[in-house]
Amino acid sequence: MIKAITFDLYGTLAGFTPSRYEIQSKAASKFGLTLTEDDISQGYLKADEFMSKQNASSPIRSMDNNEKLRFFAEYERLILSESEPSIELNTCLNVWYEIQKIPYKLTVFNDVKPVLKTLREEGFILAVITNMNTTGTEILDQLGLTAHIDFAITSLDANAEKPDQRIFELAFSKAKCEPMENIHVGDQVLSDINGAKQIGSHYILIDRYSVNEAFTDGPRITGLVQLPELRTRI
């Protein structure tokens, strides 16, 4: 019996405004680079996998400033690599600097609050598990989700990043449920799907940008509106 549903945050419940494509295009144009939306989507797939692997081995938040610069230069190179396969790392770092100058914020996707309302009315405990380096209380308040989500566990709260079992264990302890009584919904195969799988939780991949169409290791949805019907089959 499923008692709780946990959600990743970025890419699952919320995204950037302006969009990540708009942000990247604006910054890259300073250096004469022209990007396409499809290339940026594919680039982010590689870059986010790179970030997940890094957090699994040595968390980014524990790096010193020079290590972070080297990491984000490579992260940016991966984002741009579909459009500019031979781009130099120093140019990527300069694009990253330009991105830091562009105002943007996280905003909740349009399908999120209606689905959360439906799930809460059905009695599920709802929580967020995110690698963001802030507190759960702050992030829910910032996104206006306090009335829709019971609690959020962040990497700062848990002192661990997905796919580390400790961040999942803290969430399950707070929800008072066993891993098999939970469904975790996230957009990253390594941090979300593999993290949930290794601790024994059910999982669903959400693929809003259709970059994981080859995923066959479990259920996959492209929007949160598909979740209420799908979770009844688990």
Side-chain angles (χ1 to χ4, degrees), residues 24-150:
Q24 290 288 337
S25 293
K26 185 174 182 179
S29 68
K30 302 274 187 180
F31 305 92
L33 304 176
T34 301
L35 312 178
T36 71
E37 194 161 2
D38 284 346
D39 283 346
I40 290 303
S41 292
Q42 290 300 320
Y44 264 105
L45 177 64
K46 295 190 293 186
D48 288 341
E49 182 179 4
F50 172 64
M51 179 177 285
S52 294
K53 288 179 179 177
Q54 180 63 55
N55 275 326
S57 60
S58 179
I60 297 161
R61 63 189 173 88
S62 65
M63 293 178 176
D64 62 32
N65 288 338
N66 287 333
E67 290 171 328
K68 286 179 180 176
L69 282 179
R70 287 194 293 271
F71 171 83
F72 282 111
E74 177 61 15
Y75 182 81
E76 184 63 30
R77 188 193 70 77
L78 290 169
I79 293 171
L80 299 175
S81 64
E82 293 293 315
S83 295
E84 301 288 337
S86 59
I87 192 169
E88 294 183 355
L89 201 60
N90 189 56
T91 302
C92 297
L93 185 57
N94 287 332
V95 173
W96 180 256
Y97 285 139
E98 287 298 321
I99 286 172
Q100 306 315 301
K101 301 175 186 178
I102 300 173
Y104 60 88
K105 63 179 180 177
L106 273 178
T107 55
V108 174
F109 293 119
N110 291 335
D111 59 356
V112 169
K113 290 182 179 179
V115 172
L116 295 180
K117 181 176 184 292
T118 296
L119 295 173
R120 290 199 82 173
E121 288 173 349
E122 293 180 9
F124 291 101
I125 298 166
L126 305 180
V128 164
I129 304 177
T130 174
N131 284 348
M132 295 190 73
N133 192 32
T134 183
T135 68
T137 301
E138 288 172 335
I139 198 64
L140 291 183
D141 183 60
Q142 176 188 333
L143 292 173
L145 288 175
T146 303
H148 303 274
I149 295 284
D150 293 294

Side-chain angles (χ1 to χ4, degrees), residues 141-162:
D141 183 60
Q142 176 188 333
L143 292 173
L145 288 175
T146 303
H148 303 274
I149 295 284
D150 293 294
F151 64 89
I153 300 295
T154 70
S155 55
L156 185 64
D157 297 323
N159 196 32
E161 279 79 7
K162 294 177 296 180

